[in-house]
Amino acid sequence: MNKIVKEAKEIDKEYNTFITLNESLEKGKPIVIKDNICTKGIKTTAGSKILENYIPVFDATVIEKLKSKGFSILGKTVQDAFGFGSFSTNCAYKTPKNPFDKERVCGGSSGGTAAFIKLSKNVKYGLGQSTGGSINCPSAFCGVVGLTPTYGLVSRYGLIDYANSFDRIGPITKNVKDAAYLLSIMAGEDKRDQTTQNKAENYTKYCGSNVKGMKIGLIKEAFSNDVQKEVKSSVLTAIKKFKKLNCKVEEVSFPSLKYVVPVYYILAMAEASTNLAKYCGLRYGKEKKIEGFYDSYFSDVRSENFGKEEKRRILLGTFIRMVGYRDDYYIKALKLRNKIISDFKKLFKKFDVLVTPTMPLLPPKFSEIKNLSPAEIYSMDFLTIPASLVGAPSMSIPVGEVKGLPVGMQLIANYFEEGKLIKLGDAYEKK
Ligand code: GLN
């Protein structure tokens, strides 16, 4: 057996990283792909039982592009079903374990990719997908680099939707340069995704450049008491390095941070509930023998194959969009999203990059989150959600370890300024 496949099998056995492993890996640069990105001839489940038997007959645009540059797919990684989660514990098949401590979570929802990239000696490239933080969060928890590009820079064609106005595909890698390389291949306009723009660059050219004079805004509210002390101090220490690199660091207030979690979850669930409507046992996803009334057929298929979190989001999302509630929830959240976007744009008149911790906590133990309510879990996304609501690019880079666990620092830039993230991230790594 190929040594790359052999290693992947061993890691998978111990850490639960793959839903599908491609044992007939061809020659080329090996890459692992989150399981909600369509791969021709390789099962693509979006982490849900309802797509257990789905084998796409086409490649997502990003996969086409990567294959044309000599990449070959080693496997499809474990994720929260449809991306619904912050810890990779809403998984229909198996639950990935943290590379630093198997009793801890990997972060979600792209947990399988992040864990595998950390653990593998042979594979340095992975793809994740983010709606509200699912690239940055697992990257922080697993000690790797995650880059969430500007909405519209990378085609979503062939991505199984969670929430269309948020979803983004991005690299998860061991270092900033590899992320820049993957992004350079994937970025660019795609006629099959009309939200894409022709803004692609060669991002690797930003590695090794001088960051002197760059203006960095430290978001004050992101270092509040809602963030664990150890996380705060690691990120603040990391920020000192930027000062040594002659960047200008200044504190700045972002008061609308307190609204981001409810606004995001209202909008994301509204979109998710419409996206999941198509899995009703007829054209998409699992089927069974059609008997009785259609209504009971639909609900049987959906009850049997959706997990708890999928059902919760369908119910809440449908409620949010219903006549009578729509104005109070959905429309109001849309207005607030616009307000948050304009607040952000103001900050970017003054700063090149904003900085926060990626997650407010160290990767928790499975036992520690078992009894948390969904709302408590959702609230932990308050640092990755801002850039997700805005559609701005962001990146998580590892900034050392506390108690043997990794801490991630998040950098956020203005639209299509991935170059600045890469510049700073790479300079940080090298210092
Ligand atoms: N934790 C967030 C959610 O559950 C974000 C997940 C994601 O980015 N896919 O919606």
Side-chain angles (χ1 to χ4, degrees), residues 83-86 109 129-134 162 264-265 313 381:
F84 300 161
S86 309
S109 58
Q129 164 277 341
S130 171
T131 308
S134 281
Y162 165 177
Y264 165 78
Y265 274 97
R313 293 185 187 214
D381 291 343

